[in-house]
């Protein structure tokens, strides 16, 4: 494979992915809110249903990423574990660990982005 | 909630004392003196805080409207909680700096860091977010008793009431009935302005081509201040307004009076000057044929307390200065100067304007 380090083995993309999902969810939430309000689609499909679907998909995506991260990390979760052995194995585990933490952060952030839809019902 | 300041508004006393202190070399100061100095610094900071504009017509802490009271409650709760958390963290930091390391308790420490450093802030922030949103939802409020349209214009506020006796247009002074909920429809004709009467409620942007709404429920009679809270050009800082909260009967009387056309001219010459000088191209005086809309409606000018969007008291002298050269009084004002009016014309015009009750 050509871009081994980026695409697959010990890869970097799992690091960037969770927060990218959060950013996408954030952007889509605003777009959906704005478009639904502007077009008056509320009666057709409740904005909140769209938001719930959006949020659940984002959480699902993040949890899949978390699974990948978990597989890389292996072992029992220690939040501030220092993984510093200069080996391929250490590298993979380190990336997994960081990606796992970022997944948790992204999930919390996605939930926080979603919360306003629960409280406000109007445009 | 009101604070009462104990030193003069400039805080001159404590500051002078500090000046004297700083002339001494700190390393030469005896312990008692140092302590004294600390105490003074603390006292000064507290005074400065207390003095920080916490009282008055523009204060968020006056609670003159239900919205402001709700925000104030949240403010105090957050402040108290933040103080408790801060004190806790400081205590912990001191504690941590003094104790000896205990490697065997590493696990407990880790759990503590996780709970206190990750879980606790997350839960607290989410709770605050929800509390803030519920408060906002509450401020959206129910059905209003009254509608008022306010339009931000560089650099003043057009205020319109719809009444059974006809439309009332006034400027820079919004009168509201005590205890009733008013829905303000806010918009702008030029750039974005923002409507904010801190003592009464929230702040709302006024956006050209759009109407935003803000509800206010005044609970304390009086004269409250308002400002434009979004930079909108040269005279932004002089774009103020006043909200006068009246008992409902007084409000009705005032509104009925505003709906009537202008009082008979107090000076026929003055009215003539007004019309021939071209004031009527920009200002309306209902019942005289002057129907301009570029500037404030002057039909009942003399019933207002201020001119030039809340920055000057409405007196004969201020009116004279204003008409003579608006730009000198309020840099950027979009009314032309009239320096060429003969003194007699000016006096007649002032008679006329001050007679527009
Ligand atoms: Cu402004």
């Amino acid at each position: 494979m050509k871009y081994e380090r980026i695409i697959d083995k010990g890869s970097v993309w799992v690091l960037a992915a969770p927060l990218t999902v959060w950013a996408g969810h954030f952007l889509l939430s605003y777009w959906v809110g704005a478009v639904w309000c502007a077009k008056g689609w509320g009666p057709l499909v409740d904005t909140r249903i769209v938001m719930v679907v959006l949020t659940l998909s984002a959480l699902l995506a993040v949890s899949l990423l978390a699974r990948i991260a978990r597989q890389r990390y292996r072992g029992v979760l220690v939040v501030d574990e220092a993984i510093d052995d200069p080996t391929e194995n250490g590298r993979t585990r380190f990336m997994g660990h960081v990606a796992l933490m970022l997944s948790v952060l992204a999930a919390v952030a996605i939930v926080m982005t979603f919360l306003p839809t629960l409280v406000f019902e109007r445009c | 909630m009101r604070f009462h300041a104990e030193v003069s508004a400039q805080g001159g006393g404590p500051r002078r004392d500090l000046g004297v202190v700083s002339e001494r070399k700190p390393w030469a100061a005896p312990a008692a003196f140092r302590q004294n100095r600390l105490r003074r610094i603390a006292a000064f900071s507290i005074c400065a805080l207390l003095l920080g504009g916490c009282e008055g017509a523009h204060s968020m802490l006056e609670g003159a409207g239900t919205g402001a009271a709700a925000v104030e409650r949240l403010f105090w709760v957050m402040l108290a909680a933040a103080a408790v958390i801060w004190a806790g963290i400081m205590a912990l930091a001191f504690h941590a700096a003094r104790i000896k390391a205990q490697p065997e308790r590493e696990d407990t420490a880790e759990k503590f860091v996780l709970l206190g450093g990750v879980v606790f802030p997350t839960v607290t922030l989410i709770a605050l977010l929800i509390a803030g949103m519920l408060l906002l939802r509450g401020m959206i409020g129910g059905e209003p008793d009254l509608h008022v349209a306010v339009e931000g214009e560089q650099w003043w506020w057009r205020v319109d009431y719809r009444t059974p006796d006809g439309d009332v247009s006034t400027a820079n002074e919004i009168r509201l009935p005590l205890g009733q909920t008013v829905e303000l429809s806010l918009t702008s004709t030029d750039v974005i302005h923002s409507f904010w009467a801190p003592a009464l409620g929230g702040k709302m942007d006024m956006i050209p081509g759009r109407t935003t709404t803000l509800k206010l429920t005044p609970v304390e009679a009086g004269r409250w201040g308002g400002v434009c809270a979004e930079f909108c050009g040269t005279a932004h800082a002089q774009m103020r307004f006043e909200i006068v909260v009246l008992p409902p009967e007084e409000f009705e009387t005032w509104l009925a009076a505003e709906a009537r056309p202008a009082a008979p001219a107090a000076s026929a010459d003055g009215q003539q000057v007004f019309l021939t000088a071209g004031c009527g191209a920009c200002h309306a005086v209902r019942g005289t044929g002057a129907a301009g809309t570029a500037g404030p409606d002057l039909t009942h000018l003399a019933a207002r307390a201020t001119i030039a969007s809340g920055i000057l008291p409405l007196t004969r002298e201020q009116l004279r200065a204003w008409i003579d050269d608006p730009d000198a009084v309020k840099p950027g004002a979009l009314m032309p100067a009239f320096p060429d009016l003969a003194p007699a014309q000016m006096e007649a015009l002032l008679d006329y304007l001050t007679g527009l009750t």
Side-chain angles (χ1 to χ4, degrees):
Chain A
M1 233 199 165
K2 202 168 163 202
Y3 299 111
E4 226 167 48
R5 284 224 145 169
I6 295 174
I7 306 290
D8 195 50
K9 274 214 292 182
S11 58
V12 181
W13 70 269
V14 247
L15 283 189
L19 289 180
T20 308
V21 172
W22 161 75
H25 172 264
F26 189 92
L27 200 61
L28 276 173
S29 298
Y30 270 77
W31 279 349
V32 164
V35 170
W36 249 250
C37 279
K39 299 273 181 193
W41 288 346
L44 274 167
V45 187
D46 195 329
T47 325
R48 291 209 264 183
I49 294 180
V50 189
M51 295 293 186
V52 168
V53 172
L54 213 65
T55 303
L56 288 181
S57 332
L59 287 176
L60 183 72
V62 169
S63 64
L64 290 179
L65 290 168
R67 242 178 66 121
I68 299 178
R70 175 99 186 83
Q71 280 160 5
R72 304 240 158 110
Y73 171 52
R74 279 165 288 157
V76 189
L77 178 66
V78 179
V79 172
D80 60 352
E81 182 175 352
I83 308 171
D84 49 11
D85 40 329
T87 61
E88 198 58 36
N89 181 41
R91 194 178 127 75
T92 310
R93 287 199 62 222
F94 172 75
M95 299 285 227
H97 185 242
V98 176
L100 193 57
M101 293 298 149
L102 285 177
S103 301
V104 175
L105 180 65
V108 172
I110 287 170
V111 170
M112 283 181 105
T113 309
F114 169 68
L115 278 176
T117 15
L118 281 188
V119 179
F120 298 105
E121 290 164 39
R122 46 180 246 162
C123 286
Chain B
M1 188 105 21
R2 283 155 199 262
F3 287 118
H4 289 282
E6 283 168 14
V7 296
S8 69
Q10 291 77 30
R15 195 176 293 142
R16 228 176 6 252
D17 286 352
L18 277 176
V20 172
V21 170
S22 60
E23 280 164 15
R24 310 264 309 231
K25 303 211 174 356
W27 56 85
F33 192 82
R34 267 205 310 271
Q35 206 181 15
N36 215 349
R37 181 165 93 156
L38 269 182
R39 215 175 277 151
R40 283 181 196 191
I41 291 176
F44 176 62
S45 322
I46 291 170
C47 288
L49 254 181
L50 293 183
L51 285 168
C54 294
E55 197 176 359
H58 287 90
S59 168
M60 284 181 66
L61 304 179
E62 284 288 343
T66 50
V71 174
E72 186 186 335
R73 208 172 310 124
L74 183 68
F75 170 71
W76 289 118
V77 169
M78 281 175 70
L79 188 66
V84 169
I85 293 173
W86 184 81
I89 303 273
M90 286 301 132
L92 266 175
F94 277 116
H95 178 67
R98 294 178 59 151
I99 56 172
K100 281 209 183 66
Q102 292 167 289
E104 72 281 6
R105 293 183 63 200
E106 196 74 2
D107 277 359
T108 323
E110 176 133 321
K111 279 207 195 76
F112 183 76
V113 167
L114 189 63
L115 280 177
V118 179
V119 179
F120 176 72
T122 308
V123 172
T124 312
L125 283 179
I126 290 186
L128 270 179
L129 176 67
I130 294 177
M133 287 191 304
L134 289 176
L135 185 139
L136 259 182
R137 189 171 74 175
M139 281 168 73
I140 292 171
E143 274 304 296
D145 305 301
L146 175 76
H147 288 270
V148 179
V150 183
E151 208 171 76
E153 300 188 16
Q154 285 174 325
W155 286 273
W156 59 284
W157 314 80
R158 188 192 301 278
V159 183
D160 291 311
Y161 296 76
R162 203 137 291 162
T163 78
D165 309 328
D167 292 357
V168 166
S169 185
T170 174
N172 307 326
E173 190 178 280
I174 304 170
R175 299 208 180 196
L176 297 177
L178 181 65
Q180 295 185 12
T181 299
V182 57
E183 182 175 77
L184 300 169
S185 305
L186 307 171
T187 189
S188 159
T189 49
D190 36 46
V191 298
I192 299 179
H193 302 276
S194 182
F195 180 98
W196 193 28
L200 291 166
K203 169 165 37 175
M204 185 60 74
D205 278 5
M206 311 171 99
I207 302 163
R210 245 166 210 278
T211 303
T212 47
T213 59
L214 175 68
K215 285 192 188 129
L216 296 179
T217 309
V219 292
E220 219 177 298
R223 223 167 230 289
W224 305 106
V227 294
C228 175
E230 182 74 44
F231 181 72
C232 57
T234 320
H236 162 67
Q238 279 98 321
M239 185 171 165
R240 298 170 163 242
F241 63 93
E242 292 200 330
I243 293 192
V244 185
V245 178
L246 300 168
E249 318 79 61
E250 265 179 63
F251 171 77
E252 292 301 335
T253 314
W254 168 80
L255 193 59
E258 286 283 313
R260 285 195 279 278
S267 156
D269 289 349
Q271 180 164 2
Q272 203 49 43
V273 175
F274 187 85
L275 295 173
T276 50
C279 312
C282 295
H283 295 287
V285 179
R286 272 173 288 135
T288 66
T293 54
D297 186 307
L298 302 179
T299 309
H300 297 287
L301 172 71
R304 310 206 266 268
T306 64
I307 56 167
S309 71
I311 63 164
L312 298 173
L314 193 158
T315 63
R316 198 178 171 92
E317 289 323 305
Q318 300 288 9
L319 270 175
R320 189 198 311 277
W322 173 257
I323 296 166
D324 191 48
D325 191 359
D327 195 68
V329 175
K330 179 174 176 176
L334 296 178
M335 167 166 151
F338 289 85
D340 299 331
L341 292 175
Q345 284 181 313
M346 178 61 102
E347 295 311 321
L349 181 61
L350 293 176
D351 285 341
Y352 174 65
L353 291 175
T354 48
L356 291 173
T357 48

